[in-house]
């Protein structure tokens, strides 16, 4: 098939590569404009642009895809289908209907669950046991189009946002190739989604979400830490300094201390009382330092029992 591919981040690049390896002709890769990155603020290519250049695919980087001049540019590349993976812009009806097979989206959840911008992280934060990838015929709604194929991925007890992202990008690339095969063969049976989603929309992540509220129960905080690893990360303040919390364990024990209070420091970690149960911090990052095990941090720092986070 002749394909226009639309995508931007790391999650999308393996799908573009898989389409090429499957023998389809990608006539154009559409991705977000280059953005400043790092201390030098030099313009950096998106992962999809890097993959497209590697595969010798023409690249188009519109600032707003719905501009008429950008729509005209797309029309210069006749294609059978558009594949959309985390492109980063809302597509107008003119784009959705531009090719015979429309726009096929790879979404990182088992729709209709977790429609929205951050399904990977929210599935961990909410304590789901499994998630997956859905390919979907896009419409003008937010992740509301007819479902085509699904694949299920187990969420392990130690799963982080980063590790689940990597699993799902591999699963998504494979599922999209299967979906294109089904489109060509005419064997797919689209299934409509209910109007209401079983979960709230997986809203976009921001740094404020990572501010640990120690009044919550330990298992909820531990899932937040895993879900926001590696970005934007969970954190807490101690003596006017912000500490990133990268890894922790739930302990089925309580003390009379207020939530956020350090109750024990051992080689195993730093134990903090929560609203229900305790949390043992096993990996953290002090300001200006690298990530380290709690044991390593404690060798160079004296933490008094009774010190309170977020104070």
């Amino acid at each position: 098939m002749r394909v226009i591919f639309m995508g931007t981040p790391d999650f999308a690049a393996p799908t573009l590569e898989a389409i090429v390896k499957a023998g389809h002709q990608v006539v154009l890769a559409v991705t977000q404009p280059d953005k400043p990155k790092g201390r030098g603020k030099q313009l950096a290519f998106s992962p999809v642009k890097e993959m497209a250049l590697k595969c010798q695919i023409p690249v188009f980087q519109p600032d707003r895809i719905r501009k008429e001049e950008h729509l005209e540019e797309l029309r210069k590349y006749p294609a059978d289908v558009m594949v959309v993976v985390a492109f980063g812009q809302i597509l107008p009806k003119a784009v959705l209907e531009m090719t015979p097979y429309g726009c096929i989206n790879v979404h990182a959840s088992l729709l209709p669950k977790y429609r929205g911008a951050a399904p990977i992280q929210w599935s961990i934060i909410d304590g789901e046991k499994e998630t997956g990838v859905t390919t979907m015929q896009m419409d003008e709604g937010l992740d509301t189009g007819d479902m085509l194929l699904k694949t299920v991925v187990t969420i392990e007890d130690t799963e982080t946002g980063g590790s689940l992202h990597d699993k799902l990008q591999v699963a998504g690339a494979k599922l999209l190739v299967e979906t294109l095969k089904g489109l060509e063969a005419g064997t797919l049976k689209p299934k409509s989604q209910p109007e209401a989603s079983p979960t709230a929309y997986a809203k976009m992540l921001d740094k404020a979400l990572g501010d640990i509220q120690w009044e919550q129960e330990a298992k909820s905080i531990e899932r937040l830490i895993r879900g926001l690893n590696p970005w934007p990360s969970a954190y807490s303040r101690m003596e006017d300094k912000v500490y990133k919390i990268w890894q922790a364990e739930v302990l089925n024990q309580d003390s009379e201390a207020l939530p956020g209070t350090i109750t024990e420091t051992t080689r195993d970690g730093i134990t903090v009382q929560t609203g229900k149960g305790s949390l043992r911090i096993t990996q953290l990052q002090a300001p200006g330092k690298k990530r380290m095990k709690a044991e390593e941090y404690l060798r160079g720092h004296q933490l008094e029992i009774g010190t309170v986070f977020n104070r």
Side-chain angles (χ1 to χ4, degrees):
M1 298 180 81
R2 288 173 59 87
V3 179
I4 292 176
F5 185 87
M6 307 181 77
T8 300
D10 288 335
F11 187 83
T15 302
L16 174 56
E17 184 177 32
I19 293 171
V20 173
K21 288 184 176 180
H24 298 285
Q25 182 183 0
V26 181
V27 298
L28 183 68
V30 186
T31 189
Q32 295 277 53
D34 300 340
K35 293 184 177 180
K37 190 175 182 180
R39 291 184 179 179
K41 298 298 181 182
Q42 293 185 337
L43 291 179
F45 294 172
S46 74
V48 163
K49 182 176 180 177
E50 290 180 351
M51 181 61 69
L53 294 176
K54 175 183 174 182
C55 298
Q56 299 183 320
I57 298 168
V59 175
F60 178 43
Q61 297 178 270
D63 58 342
R64 292 183 69 240
I65 192 67
R66 61 179 59 249
K67 289 181 179 179
E68 186 56 39
E69 61 265 34
H70 294 156
L71 297 177
E72 286 301 318
E73 183 66 22
L74 283 182
R75 295 187 182 103
K76 294 177 183 178
Y77 296 86
D80 301 306
V81 65
M82 290 190 190
V83 173
V84 183
V85 188
F87 173 51
Q89 296 185 36
I90 296 174
L91 302 184
K93 187 176 182 180
V95 173
L96 296 175
E97 298 178 350
M98 193 173 288
T99 60
Y101 287 104
C103 292
I104 306 301
N105 178 240
V106 178
H107 184 75
S109 81
L110 298 174
L111 290 172
K113 274 192 169 185
Y114 294 99
R115 296 169 178 163
I120 298 174
Q121 295 83 358
W122 281 106
S123 65
I124 295 174
I125 294 169
D126 288 349
E128 298 286 351
K129 297 301 182 183
E130 65 179 24
T131 184
V133 179
T134 305
T135 51
M136 168 187 63
Q137 185 81 53
M138 293 180 70
D139 60 17
E140 293 184 87
L142 179 59
D143 302 326
T144 56
D146 289 351
M147 300 176 291
L148 301 174
L149 293 178
K150 291 185 181 183
T151 188
V152 175
V153 173
T154 299
I155 299 177
E156 305 294 341
D157 291 341
T158 57
E159 201 82 68
T160 66
S163 65
L164 187 56
H165 168 281
D166 293 349
K167 287 182 182 179
L168 292 176
Q169 71 175 1
V170 173
K174 181 179 179 181
L175 190 68
L176 189 277
V177 171
E178 293 178 17
T179 301
L180 292 182
K181 184 177 180 181
L183 282 177
E184 282 190 290
T187 57
L188 293 182
K189 297 180 180 179
K191 183 178 180 181
S192 61
Q193 297 187 49
E195 289 187 15
S197 169
T199 57
Y201 275 95
K203 66 180 180 180
M204 191 174 296
L205 304 177
D206 60 36
K207 291 184 179 180
L209 180 63
D211 191 357
I212 295 173
Q213 304 302 306
W214 294 102
E215 293 79 11
Q216 295 182 353
E217 57 183 316
K219 64 180 181 180
S220 296
I221 297 172
E222 190 271 341
R223 294 198 305 258
L224 179 76
I225 291 168
R226 287 190 289 111
L228 300 186
N229 181 351
W231 193 90
S233 79
Y235 61 89
S236 194
R237 295 173 183 82
M238 183 169 56
E239 298 177 348
D240 295 325
K241 295 180 180 179
V242 176
Y243 289 77
K244 292 184 178 181
I245 313 298
W246 291 112
Q247 195 174 81
E249 301 170 350
V250 175
L251 301 179
N252 188 24
Q253 64 185 50
D254 281 295
S255 71
E256 295 181 357
L258 293 173
T261 303
I262 295 174
T263 59
E264 185 179 32
T265 58
T266 68
R267 291 182 60 185
D268 295 326
I270 301 165
T271 302
V272 184
Q273 178 63 44
T274 73
K276 181 179 180 182
S278 295
L279 200 69
R280 178 187 288 152
I281 299 170
T282 56
Q283 189 181 100
L284 73 163
Q285 185 173 3
K289 304 293 183 180
K290 64 177 183 176
R291 292 191 197 190
M292 63 182 72
K293 291 182 178 180
E295 178 187 2
E296 181 183 355
Y297 175 79
L298 290 170
R299 283 202 296 266
H301 299 81
Q302 186 69 34
L303 275 184
E304 293 185 11
I305 304 301
T307 301
V308 182
F309 276 104
N310 279 355
R311 293 292 187 273

